[in-house]
């Protein structure tokens, strides 16, 4: 039997003496190697001169020399198979879904000519998930009963919010704008050249929230409490005291925003709010039978899920006949505690949940070593104060800021700065969403010609359910 | 001293104001010290006597004058006193000389007049030389250095004159032969070399060489070589080679031989070297330059040794050495792309974690993972240990890439197991059986990548790839073709030629397959001037319509064949002018830039610059190639590249968009893997990476990666991080940023892309070929790198080399020794024994070397067998070493 002894190198191993029977086809040799390595013959690749060893090759032509080192390659492993469920790529998605997923935030709104006041308002309100879901469930047939213009505006808002959620490029709020103008003619004011004029965003905000609060009621119809009132409404009770007669009257009302008054000695939101809750007014005193100066002191009796704070930055300047702006720097915190403005009863109510919240946070800080701001699942139920969703604590996190840049309310530029659900801040400058850092958000407190906070939206922090 | 000097300088003033001058002279006379006055009178006496009729008196006078002159030693800044005092008599002596009869005395006189001419001769008269030739021969040096130096200068001028008038030069040569040894004895090697080069007789240099001076002479010769015109540089290097050979400096001789590209010389050196350890060192140098010397029976040695040497030359030790370095530096732990992106350092602006995979970002991650873990043999995406148990983790990542992305993902396995043929191939094997053609293509490419720069007797790459070259699927074909190009770059393997030529000339195959085939052929036959290969590519260019972005690879393949070969491509160049005009211009520029790559030819740089000054219609793309050409030609040496940088800055200001797009790439080429030296390059690129033209920005971003490649440079990493947040919305630019991040952290900072090595003396041709291929692909970023041919990025593997110094003992075992690593100082032509590094730190080998750094041994215990401490260096124990008992 003519044979040649060769050494075979396989991976990092070396089989020093393998005999080749040169009369047998190479397949036999491969079977020998199968014994040694466990690699099936059809997976073996043996390098010889001029290529790979073929199963039916002829040894004599290959001129294998005694003691030659051959190299074998091959493994018994299976070829990797594609997973059954193929990976979904962003690039495969329809174009309108790409944006949201890739960017992690929603689209911007196109400026239709001095509509930044409206755009920024919509972006701020759009950041409230509860409002979004409430709008979503608003149906076209929800009553055209008495106020068709409010109804259509609400429908337009619903559609616009939907578009914002799905689109990856800037949305043009044409229909909404037209309806807004027709519902509130003050926004349809035109300049000499026929273009619509810049408006006060706060006015837009107030009107919009008012309209929506009229339309959006829980579908169940059980409670007559307005949805928006739950979300944004602050109940306050005021004691009005006549300066001359010491007479006192009590009054309760629901407001949709707290005012932060800006005067010489206001440097911080807290001071402004305190001033806002105290005011003097002239009204007819029943006992005196004439108008007299009354002092009004208010306290909060119920807290909303979302607290709107408006900086009273504009005042009517008679000389220039415009709403001039107070540039004074008023700092506002990322976390706002309104306990101090609450009534005694409410304070008592708040105590337990606050305790609970602090405990939870301490525990988390202890476990994770860092303080994590809790933005737990958004409550879906509307009547939250009475339910298991968690009770108000009086502690609020900043979620959106509407800023103004310029010197009067009817000019300049409005921009919305909104915190996304993932904790990132986005500046919505009309059609351009720009990511921002959290520390830059607090720098919008005024004092110069930079963007100055006009309306702040705070979200209540609630203890998690145990 | 000061007043003395003053009087010196006032003396030769022309008599502009005679009255004042006379007065001054009077003053001067009074100023002279008694000593000087005596000397002056003495000399005047000698002059008088020298004109005496009595030869005895003459002789005595001349002799004394000579004594005075020779004994006068003075600083360079002032004229020696005897010369000064003899000055007024220069004319008298000259006149007398004419009258003297031919005699020994006349020669003496000539000598003295020659010396006096040093200070008196009119510019351009060369009287010093004239009288020297009339004077007594010999004993030049006794008149002092300044005299000899002056003489040498005059010889050079006289030589030029005589050459142009075709006069006799042998008398000059005699003088040269006296001056050269004088210079060499007095540590003035550069002057000696300069003189010989001036009179074009450098070939006599070797016989003047001695042990004491050959090193300095050679180092001067070698650094001259970059600055002399072509052809002359070859002869300069040739002389250096002869000198090194004469003194048995085999490693240096081999380096020069490799620089010359002369393999006969390399072989001769190898044969001349008898010492086994030194031969090992020679093999390491050959391996670094990916050249081989055939160890046949003509070089006698034992078989056992032959195997060892062959192993080293085949570069099979590279992987081992690299892993030793990695273990020593404790960087074996695999890194994932997130470790590189460092998103947590980007404050708040990072894109929100996407919930859905993006194919492009995953592809980027694939590349980053591959570059970062290159050569380590392990990573977390492709080769995690779970793989062996058949788990899905590996498969998962592979299939997180889309279509052609899977090819790059599979090929990345090759990069991760780079150089480890035995360990890597088994891991790739299974992918060859995949049913997905993209995966198969990637696996074939991976086979090529693993074998890049490694030779193996069994030729596994060829055996595995040749079959697939002719498959039907273009993707598989490209994979195999590219694999062959990478595995056999620079080997001139004939089988590859036979395999690829039919594909290139077949007009039925797609331009992409043909383009890659041409490029692979160019790589395999890089710098070989191979006729058949060139013919095949030219033919393809004529037959095709070449309107595709990939047609550029045809041109590039052709160019690579003549890489650095200067005018060897002339004939081909003429043919190129006749091909389809759509591609002719591009091809001409590419060919020209390749042929002069790394030559520093200023004329070519100027030609490219003038091409860039034209304002062309849209659609012309050759200007981009011209810009790259500037970089490619000028990268040869420091001065040229500095000038090129400035020229590129101009192009940036005034160039058309297609030129501006290429400028960042040329900048990247000029300082590849070298971020420190030219900081302004980094700043320019950083500025351009925010350019409004997104293609400029992309090119600048990639170039930022190139200049920082394998350095872990923190500043570039920071720039790229902020770019990644700046471009978070632009997937194409973000992709480029990711690639650049991968490049910067290439091999976790252990790998360089610099094609120059051995103290920037040798240029690795496959390396530069690979870089050029990628840069040309970057000229049309959208069609190639951002399109479906992103795997061209793997051509960079040709330039990837560990940037290490690994010391081994004579049995090739790693041997840790202390070394000093510092910034290299240019010591060529410096007096004394200057320090060759500055700002050094002492480390223990293996150590990393950055571009522009040099190492020297910090112990006397061993002597290195190579004069350049880079890569693998064999150490021999110093027999004279005495252990210092104090330590």
């Amino acid at each position: 039997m003519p044979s040649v002894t060769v050494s075979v190198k396989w991976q990092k191993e070396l089989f020093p003496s393998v005999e080749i029977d040169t009369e047998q086809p190479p397949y036999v040799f491969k079977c020998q190697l199968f014994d040694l390595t466990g690699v099936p013959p059809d997976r073996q690749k043996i390098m010889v001169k001029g290529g790979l060893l073929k199963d039916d090759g002829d040894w004599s032509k290959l001129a294998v020399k005694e003691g030659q080192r051959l190299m074998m390659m091959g493994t018994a492993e299976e070829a990797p198979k594609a997973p059954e469920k193929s990976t979904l790529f962003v690039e495969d998605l329809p174009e309108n879904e790409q944006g949201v997923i890739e960017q992690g935030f929603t689209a911007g709104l196109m400026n239709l000519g001095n509509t930044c006041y409206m755009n920024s308002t919509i972006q701020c309100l759009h950041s409230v998930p509860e409002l979004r879901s409430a709008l979503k469930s608003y149906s076209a047939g929800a009553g055209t009963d008495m106020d068709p213009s409010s109804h259509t505006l609400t429908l337009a808002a619903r559609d616009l919010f939907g578009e914002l959620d799905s689109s990856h490029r800037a949305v043009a709020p044409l229909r909404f704008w037209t309806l807004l103008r027709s519902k509130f003619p003050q926004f349809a004011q035109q300049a000499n050249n026929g273009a619509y004029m810049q408006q006060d965003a706060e006015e837009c905000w107030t009107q919009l929230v008012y309209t929506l609060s009229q339309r959006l009621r829980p579908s169940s119809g059980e409670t007559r409490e307005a949805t928006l009132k739950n979300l944004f409404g602050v109940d306050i009770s005021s004691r009005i005291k006549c300066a001359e007669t010491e007479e006192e009257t009590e009054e309760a009302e629901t407001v949709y925003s707290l005012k932060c008054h800006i005067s010489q000695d206001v440097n911080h939101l807290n001071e402004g709010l305190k001033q806002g809750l105290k005011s003097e007014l002239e009204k007819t005193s029943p006992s005196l039978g004439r108008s007299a100066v009354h002092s009004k002191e208010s306290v909060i009796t119920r807290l909303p899920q979302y607290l709107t704070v408006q900086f009273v930055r504009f005042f009517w300047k008679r000389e220039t006949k415009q709403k001039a702006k107070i540039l004074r720097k008023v700092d506002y915190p990322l976390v706002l505690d309104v306990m101090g403005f609450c009534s005694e009863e409410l304070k008592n109510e708040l105590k337990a949940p606050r305790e609970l919240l602090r405990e939870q946070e301490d525990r988390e800080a202890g476990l994770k070593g860092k303080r994590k701001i809790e933005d737990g699942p958004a409550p879906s139920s509307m009547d939250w104060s009475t339910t298991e969703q968690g009770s108000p604590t009086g502690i609020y996190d900043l979620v959106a800021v509407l800023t103004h840049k310029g010197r009067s309310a009817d000019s300049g530029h409005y921009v919305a700065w909104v915190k996304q659900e993932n904790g990132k801040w986005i500046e919505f400058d009309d059609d351009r969403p720009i990511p921002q850092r959290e520390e830059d958000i607090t720098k919008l407190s005024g004092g110069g010609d930079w963007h100055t906070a006009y309306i702040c939206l705070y979200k209540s922090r609630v203890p998690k359910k145990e | 001293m000061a007043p003395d000097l003053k009087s010196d300088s006032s003396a030769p003033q022309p008599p502009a104001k005679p009255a004042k001058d006379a007065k001054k002279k009077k003053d001067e006379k009074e100023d002279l010290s008694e000593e000087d006055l005596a000397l002056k009178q003495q000399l005047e006496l000698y002059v008088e006597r020298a004109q005496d009729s009595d030869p005895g008196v003459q002789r005595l006078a001349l002799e004394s004058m000579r004594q005075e002159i020779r004994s006068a030693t003075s600083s360079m800044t002032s004229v020696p006193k005897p010369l000064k005092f003899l000055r007024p008599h220069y004319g008298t002596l000259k006149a007398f000389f004419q009258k003297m009869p031919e005699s020994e005395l006349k020669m003496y006189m000539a000598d003295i007049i020659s010396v006096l001419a040093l200070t008196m001769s009119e510019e351009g008269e060369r009287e010093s030389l004239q009288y020297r030739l009339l004077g007594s021969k010999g004993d030049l040096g006794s008149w002092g250095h300044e005299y000899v130096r002056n003489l040498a200068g005059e010889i050079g001028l006289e030589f030029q004159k005589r050459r142009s008038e075709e006069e006799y030069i042998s008398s000059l040569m005699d003088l040269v032969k006296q001056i050269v040894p004088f210079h060499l004895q007095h540590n003035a090697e550069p002057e000696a070399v300069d003189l010989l080069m001036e009179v074009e007789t450098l070939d006599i240099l070797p016989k003047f060489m001695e042990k004491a001076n050959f090193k300095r002479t050679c180092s001067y010769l070698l650094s001259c070589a970059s600055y002399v015109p072509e052809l002359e540089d070859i002869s300069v290097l040739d002389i250096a080679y002869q000198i090194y050979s004469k003194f048995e400096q085999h490693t240096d001789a081999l380096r020069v031989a490799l620089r010359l590209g002369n393999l006969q010389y390399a072989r001769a050196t190898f044969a001349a070297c008898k010492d086994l350890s030194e031969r090992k060192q020679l093999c390491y140098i050959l391996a670094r330059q990916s050249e081989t010397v055939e160890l046949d029976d003509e070089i006698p040695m034992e078989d056992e040794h032959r195997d060892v040497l062959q192993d080293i030359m085949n570069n099979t030790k590279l992987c081992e050495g690299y892993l030793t370095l990695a273990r020593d530096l404790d960087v074996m732990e695999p890194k994932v792309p997130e470790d590189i992106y460092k998103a947590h350092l980007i404050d708040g602006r990072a894109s929100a974690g996407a919930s859905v995979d993006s194919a492009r970002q995953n592809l980027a991650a694939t590349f980053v993972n591959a570059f970062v873990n290159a050569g380590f043999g392990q990573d977390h995406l492709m080769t995690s240990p779970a793989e062996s148990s058949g788990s899905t983790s590996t498969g998962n990542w592979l299939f997180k890439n889309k279509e052609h992305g899977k090819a790059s993902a599979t090929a990345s396995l090759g990069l991760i197991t780079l150089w480890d043929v035995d360990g890597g191939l088994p891991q790739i094997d299974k992918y060859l059986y995949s049913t997905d053609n993209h995966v198969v293509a990637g696996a074939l490419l991976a086979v090529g990548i693993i074998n890049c720069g490694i030779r193996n007797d069994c030729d596994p790459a060829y055996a595995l790839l040749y079959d697939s070259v002719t498959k039907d699927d273009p993707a598989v074909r490209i994979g195999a073709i590219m694999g062959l190009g990478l595995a056999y770059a620079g080997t001139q393997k004939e089988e590859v030629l036979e395999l690829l030529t039919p594909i290139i000339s077949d007009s039925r195959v797609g331009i992409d397959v043909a383009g890659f085939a041409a490029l692979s052929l160019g790589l395999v036959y890089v710098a070989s001037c191979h006729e058949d290969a060139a013919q095949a590519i030219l033919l393809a260019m004529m037959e095709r319509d070449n309107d595709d972005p990939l047609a550029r690879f045809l041109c590039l393949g052709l160019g690579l064949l003549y890489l650095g070969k200067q005018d060897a491509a002339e004939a081909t160049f003429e043919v190129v002018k006749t091909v389809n005009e759509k591609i002719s211009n591009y091809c001409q520029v590419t060919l020209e830039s390749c042929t002069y790559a790394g030559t520093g030819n200023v004329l070519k740089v100027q030609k490219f610059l003038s091409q860039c000054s034209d304002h062309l219609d849209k659609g012309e793309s050759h200007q981009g190639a011209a810009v790259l050409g500037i970089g490619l030609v000028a990268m040869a040496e420091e001065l040229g590249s500095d000038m090129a940088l400035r020229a590129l800055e101009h192009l940036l200001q005034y160039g058309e968009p297609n030129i501006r797009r290429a400028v960042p790439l040329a900048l990247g080429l000029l300082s590849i893997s070298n971020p420190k030296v030219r900081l302004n390059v980094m700043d320019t690129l950083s500025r351009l990476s925010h350019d409004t033209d997104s293609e400029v920005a992309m090119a600048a971003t990639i170039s930022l990666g190139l200049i920082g490649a394998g350095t872990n440079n923190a500043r570039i990493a920071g720039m790229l991080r902020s770019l990644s947040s700046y471009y978070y919305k632009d997937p194409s630019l973000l992709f480029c940023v990711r690639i650049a991040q991968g490049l910067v952290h290439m091999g976790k900072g252990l790998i360089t892309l610099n094609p120059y090595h051995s103290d920037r003396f040798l240029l690795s041709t496959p390396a530069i070929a690979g870089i050029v291929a990628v840069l040309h692909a970057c000229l049309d970023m959208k069609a190639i790198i951002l399109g479906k041919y992103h795997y061209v990025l793997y051509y960079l593997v040709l330039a990837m080399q560990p940037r290490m110094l690994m010391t081994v003992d004579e049995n090739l075992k790693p041997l840790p020794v202390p070394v000093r690593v510092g910034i290299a100082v240019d010591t060529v032509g410096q007096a004394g024994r200057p320090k060759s590094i500055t700002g050094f730190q002492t480390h223990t080998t293996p150590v990393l070397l950055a571009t522009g750094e040099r190492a020297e041994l910090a112990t006397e215990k061993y002597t290195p067998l190579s004069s350049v401490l880079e890569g693998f260096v064999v150490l021999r124990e110093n027999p004279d070493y005495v252990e210092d008992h104090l330590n």
Side-chain angles (χ1 to χ4, degrees), chain A residues 9-12 39 42-52 54 69-83 86-93 101-105 422 424-426 431-440, chain B residues 319 347-362 387-388 395-396 398-403 406 420-423 425-435 439 447 456 458-464 466-467 495 728-729 731:
Chain A
K9 191 157 188 247
W10 178 65
Q11 302 192 358
K12 302 229 156 156
V39 180
D42 57 328
R43 291 290 296 268
Q44 290 179 11
K45 295 192 190 68
I46 298 160
M47 324 288 162
V48 288
K49 218 180 184 103
L52 295 174
K54 302 234 165 41
R69 183 186 291 182
L70 295 178
M71 184 173 169
M72 184 192 119
M73 223 192 94
T75 46
E77 274 178 69
E78 286 280 311
K81 288 206 178 60
S86 60
T87 318
L88 181 71
F89 293 112
V90 171
E91 282 85 347
D92 298 332
L93 293 174
I101 286 159
E102 238 172 81
Q103 298 160 357
F105 51 80
N422 57 24
K424 303 251 154 62
W425 281 88
I426 305 291
D431 50 342
R432 276 173 303 144
I434 307 160
Q436 293 290 347
R437 293 179 301 187
E438 191 157 57
E439 53 265 42
D440 288 342
Chain B
C319 173
D347 22 40
R349 281 181 150 247
S351 73
S355 49
V356 177
D357 282 287
S358 154
R360 175 153 284 168
Q361 292 319 315
N362 282 4
E387 172 210 44
S388 51
N396 264 348
L398 176 59
F399 293 102
K400 282 209 160 144
N401 288 283
K402 207 181 154 189
E403 293 164 22
K406 280 184 270 188
D420 184 8
V421 178
D422 295 333
L425 286 182
Q427 298 193 41
I428 294 168
D429 186 61
K430 60 178 176 178
Y431 293 99
L432 290 169
Y433 298 94
S434 171
T435 48
V439 174
V447 170
N456 195 311
C458 298
D459 251 353
Y462 184 74
L464 291 172
Y466 80 101
D467 234 7
E495 288 95 324
Y728 71 100
K729 249 192 331 190

Side-chain angles (χ1 to χ4, degrees), chain B residues 124 148 243 401 446 542 592 670 687 707 791 855:
Chain B
V148 177
I243 298 171
N401 288 283
M542 289 174 192
E592 200 161 17
L670 280 170
R687 171 165 53 87
I707 67 167
Y791 36 79

Side-chain angles (χ1 to χ4, degrees), chain B residues 707-777:
Chain B
I707 67 167
T711 61
N712 282 346
N713 186 292
R715 193 157 164 237
I716 297 184
M719 282 178 186
L720 291 172
R721 258 199 312 277
S722 59
L723 277 178
S724 75
S725 76
Y726 185 76
Y727 286 126
Y728 71 100
K729 249 192 331 190
D730 185 331
S732 302
L733 264 157
L734 189 57
F735 181 79
C736 293
V737 174
R738 296 305 188 208
I739 296 292
Q741 286 180 315
L743 289 175
V744 169
H745 296 276
M746 185 182 267
K748 294 170 204 157
L750 306 189
I751 284 181
T752 180
L753 286 183
N754 195 347
Y756 282 95
H757 59 100
S758 293
D759 246 356
R760 209 187 150 77
F761 180 63
L762 291 176
L763 174 67
S764 161
T765 41
I768 187 72
I771 295 170
V772 173
V774 174
L775 291 180
H776 271 265

